[in-house]
């Protein structure tokens, strides 16, 4: 099928390249000509494992990129809208300006198109957006009628940063909504190349809600685990890792097969205590759903609590630090990890940011190491943080180490610390180290007797 993907950010680029790899004819569209030039040269503007290889393989075969939206619409049957939908902190609501602008622009192009076209929203949008914002904008600017001249659908993505290519090429489910049977049938055809995958065809609002509910559930599991962890510390004599480890063995969470073998689903890793979730999706999506609930006169106290717990969780590390060092001024602290999770260089909503901010305000001296960063991102370069290039370097001559991101390299810590004459205090924000291998150890959820 002939597809245009509008927006070559993270979701649009991965979707476009992967659909080309699956045999469709794809045109990627963006208003930034620098990005389009890069894509046409076979260079991915973002780093995502495996993406550049697929781009190089498909460019100028099944895949092209352009800034010319009209040409892309005229030469495709389906358009996927993949523009940003940030959360606006001022208005406390999802910001739909890019969705609205692109819908208007696509409508303008449809005005000059005689054949039927399907417009599909791939961006994460609150329920109702596709039918109540995108569809009217398309009708208004095209002068045509939805359901007759063009169709409207919704197709959320479930891509994890760092695993996005794998998640797209081998999905666990494909969800799509359509305003009518014709729209849904076209989406079935688009995804028919994904054999043996559960496909959920529904209306647009339900498809929109599935995305939010899926992300909110995982965020809830994380905040739930963190709430239990904090109580374990307050009570004392309870280690949350023993508690969550035993919870994971509930056969409704980790089923036991007839052979006696146990399945450990990935979801158990969201049922582990830590110093909070971050990234470009969970915080933004949960906040958008809460705001949407307010608007619909249906407050969401559970999700409110999920965000409140998460906002506080990074400070648990500061609390543990202050237990040992009540005065933080001039304290030498090593921060391990800046990315919000391993295998990415994304620092959006990373727990490291509020932790670093608090330490700087307290006049502590900060060293930081993250295996993916050779330089500090620009917005941090003015802060008083020394970026180290190795784990050995960052842990030398410090009073305390705060482990924040679950990078596998940090497993070397016990061995490296054992070589130091006066090993510093270690505060494990991810509970990834064996507490018995470190002389001075504190961790999230480790209630000491
Ligand atoms: C998430 C969803 O997983 C994905 O389906 C959706 O489309 C976009 O949002 P992403 O933000 O890339 O993807 O990251 P994810 O790997 O899910 O991590 C989100 C947060 O959960 C991180 O803060 C991470 O530290 C935490 N997490 C992740 C866990 O606590 N345990 C895990 O096993 C994985």
């Amino acid at each position: 099928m002939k597809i245009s993907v509008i927006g070559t950010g993270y979701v649009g680029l991965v979707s476009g390249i992967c659909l080309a790899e699956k045999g469709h004819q794809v045109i990627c569209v963006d208003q930034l000509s620098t990005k389009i030039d890069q894509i046409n040269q076979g260079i991915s503007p973002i780093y995502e494992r495996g993406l550049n290889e697929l781009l190089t393989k498909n460019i100028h075969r099944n895949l092209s990129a352009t800034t010319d939206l009209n040409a892309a619409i005229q030469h495709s049957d389906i358009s996927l809208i993949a523009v940003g939908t940030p959360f606006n902190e001022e208005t406390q609501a999802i910001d739909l300006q890019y969705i609205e602008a692109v819908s208007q622009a696509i409508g303008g192009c449809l005005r000059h198109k005689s054949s039927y076209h399907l417009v599909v929203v791939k961006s994460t949008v609150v329920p109702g957006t596709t039918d109540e914002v995108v569809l009217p904008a398309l009708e208004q600017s095209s002068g045509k009628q939805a359901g007759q001249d063009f169709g409207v659908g919704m197709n959320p993505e479930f891509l994890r940063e760092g695993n996005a290519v794998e998640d797209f090429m081998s999905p666990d489910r494909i969800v799509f909504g359509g305003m009518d049977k014709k729209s849904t049938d076209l989406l079935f055809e688009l995804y028919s190349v994904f054999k043996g995958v559960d496909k959920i065809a529904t209306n647009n609002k339900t498809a929109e809600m599935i995305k939010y509910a899926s992300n909110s559930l995982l965020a809830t599991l994380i905040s739930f685990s963190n709430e239990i962890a904090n109580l374990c510390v307050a009570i004392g004599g309870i280690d949350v890792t023993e508690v969550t480890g035993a919870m994971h063995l509930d056969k409704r969470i980790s089923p036991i097969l007839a052979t006696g073998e146990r399945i450990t689903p990935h979801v158990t890793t969201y049922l582990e205590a830590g110093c909070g979730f971050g990234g470009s999706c969970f915080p933004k999506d949960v906040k958008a759903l809460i705001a949407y609930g307010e608007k619909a006169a249906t407050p969401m106290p559970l999700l409110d609590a999920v965000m409140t717990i998460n906002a506080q969780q990074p400070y648990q590390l500061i609390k543990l630090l202050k237990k040992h060092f009540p005065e933080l001024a001039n304290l030498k602290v090593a921060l391990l990890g800046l990315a919000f999770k391993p295998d990415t260089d994304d620092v959006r909503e990373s727990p490291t940011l509020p932790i670093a901010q608090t330490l700087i305000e307290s006049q502590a001296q900060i060293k930081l190491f993250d295996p993916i960063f050779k330089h500090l991102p620009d917005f941090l370069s003015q802060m008083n943080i020394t970026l180290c290039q190795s784990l050995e370097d960052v842990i030398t001559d410090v009073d305390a180490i705060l482990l924040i991101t679950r990078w596998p390299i940090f497993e070397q810590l016990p061995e490296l610390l054992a070589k130091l004459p006066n090993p510093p205090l270690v505060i494990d924000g991810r509970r990834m180290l064996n507490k018995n291998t470190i002389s001075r150890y504190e961790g999230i959820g480790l209630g000491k007797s």
Side-chain angles (χ1 to χ4, degrees):
M1 293 177 98
K2 291 182 179 158
I3 301 157
S4 49
V5 181
I6 322 302
T8 58
Y10 169 75
V11 171
L13 195 61
V14 171
S15 304
I17 292 174
C18 289
L19 285 170
E21 171 68 12
K22 281 284 186 183
H24 291 299
Q25 291 287 327
V26 179
I27 309 171
C28 288
V29 185
D30 204 292
Q31 54 193 13
L32 284 178
S33 55
T34 45
K35 266 190 175 185
I36 294 303
D37 291 347
Q38 269 186 302
I39 297 169
N40 279 325
Q41 286 164 29
I43 304 164
S44 171
I46 56 158
Y47 176 74
E48 186 63 42
R49 194 171 352 123
L51 191 63
N52 217 81
E53 290 79 346
L54 291 189
L55 169 59
T56 319
K57 186 175 155 199
N58 287 287
I59 196 73
H60 308 311
R61 294 163 63 135
N62 286 4
L63 182 68
S64 62
T66 180
T67 51
D68 187 345
L69 177 67
N70 188 48
I73 299 291
Q74 306 307 327
H75 291 106
S76 59
D77 307 309
I78 302 182
S79 295
L80 304 182
I81 299 181
V83 294
T85 51
F87 184 76
N88 185 323
E89 294 290 344
E90 263 170 45
T91 59
Q92 283 293 301
I94 185 171
D95 182 349
L96 294 175
Q97 62 168 308
Y98 306 111
I99 289 279
E100 287 172 18
V102 160
S103 305
Q104 286 283 346
I106 294 175
C109 303
L110 290 181
R111 192 173 270 277
H112 313 291
K113 187 169 181 184
S114 49
S115 56
Y116 181 89
H117 196 90
L118 178 67
V119 180
V120 181
V121 177
K122 201 143 192 42
S123 310
T124 301
V125 291
V126 289
T129 306
T130 303
D131 291 339
E132 292 155 27
V133 176
V134 175
L135 188 153
L138 287 168
E139 278 193 331
Q140 190 259 322
S141 58
S142 67
K144 297 195 169 184
Q145 201 184 334
Q148 189 181 304
D149 306 310
F150 65 91
V152 180
M154 203 284 146
N155 171 218
E157 52 81 19
F158 301 98
L159 307 176
R160 291 164 301 160
E161 281 188 47
N163 292 78
V165 171
E166 183 197 324
D167 286 348
F168 198 100
M169 297 302 279
S170 312
D172 47 10
R173 69 204 127 154
I174 296 172
V175 174
F176 42 80
M179 63 173 291
D180 52 16
K181 185 165 177 313
K182 192 167 180 184
S183 310
T184 318
D185 283 351
L186 271 174
L187 282 162
F188 262 117
E189 199 183 329
L190 171 68
Y191 283 110
S192 61
V193 285
F194 292 82
K195 308 248 182 281
V197 180
D198 285 324
K199 297 183 182 111
I200 298 113
T202 181
N203 61 32
N204 288 331
K205 272 187 184 174
T206 308
E208 289 162 334
M209 182 57 109
I210 288 170
K211 167 69 195 241
Y212 278 99
S214 301
N215 273 358
S216 297
L217 170 66
L218 297 174
T220 302
L221 295 182
I222 296 173
S223 277
F224 167 80
S225 312
N226 289 339
E227 185 166 78
I228 296 289
N230 298 343
L231 185 60
C232 291
V233 172
I235 297 170
I238 308 175
D239 184 345
V240 75
T241 60
E242 282 186 56
V243 178
T244 51
M247 274 165 44
H248 294 171
L249 297 180
D250 183 323
K251 60 177 179 291
R252 289 158 298 186
I253 295 174
S254 304
I256 303 169
L257 301 176
T259 56
E261 193 196 339
R262 197 185 270 280
I263 301 172
T264 306
H266 185 175
V267 75
T268 56
T269 59
Y270 291 80
L271 268 172
E272 275 167 8
C275 52
F277 59 78
S280 63
C281 289
F282 283 7
K284 154 177 107 69
D285 293 351
V286 179
K287 280 194 265 183
L289 196 57
I290 293 170
Y292 182 78
E294 288 286 335
K295 219 174 114 196
T298 308
M300 311 203 67
L302 175 64
L303 294 183
D304 260 333
V306 166
M307 288 313 297
T308 306
I309 294 165
N310 196 57
Q312 287 307 315
Q313 202 59 14
Y315 300 106
Q316 295 295 330
L317 295 191
I318 301 286
K319 203 168 152 188
L320 288 170
L321 182 63
K322 279 189 159 170
K323 185 173 129 190
H324 292 261
F325 301 99
E327 182 50 66
L328 298 183
N330 298 317
L331 192 73
K332 294 178 193 158
V333 183
L335 301 183
L336 303 193
L338 174 57
F340 85 96
K341 67 171 188 179
D343 298 320
T344 175
D345 61 358
D346 193 342
V347 302
R348 283 176 286 179
E349 308 272 345
S350 165
T352 307
L353 303 176
I355 291 171
Q357 184 67 37
T358 308
L359 290 172
I360 286 171
E361 282 163 14
S362 309
Q363 287 163 349
Q365 296 175 29
I366 308 178
K367 291 208 277 181
L368 185 147
F369 170 66
D370 186 303
I372 209 153
F373 288 101
K374 296 285 159 264
H375 309 278
L376 280 178
D378 284 350
F379 78 101
L380 286 178
S381 57
Q382 298 306 314
M383 284 176 123
N384 205 0
I385 298 174
T386 307
L387 184 73
C388 297
Q389 301 299 332
S390 72
L391 189 54
E392 286 87 342
D393 210 5
V394 78
I395 64 169
T396 305
D397 190 26
V398 289
D399 301 303
I401 296 171
L402 308 191
L403 191 163
I404 303 170
T405 313
R406 190 185 278 273
W407 282 106
I409 190 179
F410 299 155
E411 282 162 12
Q412 295 172 12
L413 210 50
E415 199 185 319
L416 295 175
L417 288 171
K419 293 181 191 160
L420 298 179
N422 274 320
L425 169 73
V426 174
I427 304 181
D428 187 348
R430 296 291 172 191
R431 296 308 305 275
M432 63 180 279
L433 305 173
N434 178 345
K435 63 187 176 194
N436 300 319
T437 58
I438 291 173
S439 55
R440 294 166 67 206
Y441 180 90
E442 288 281 1
I444 290 281
L446 176 60
K448 296 201 166 169
S449 306

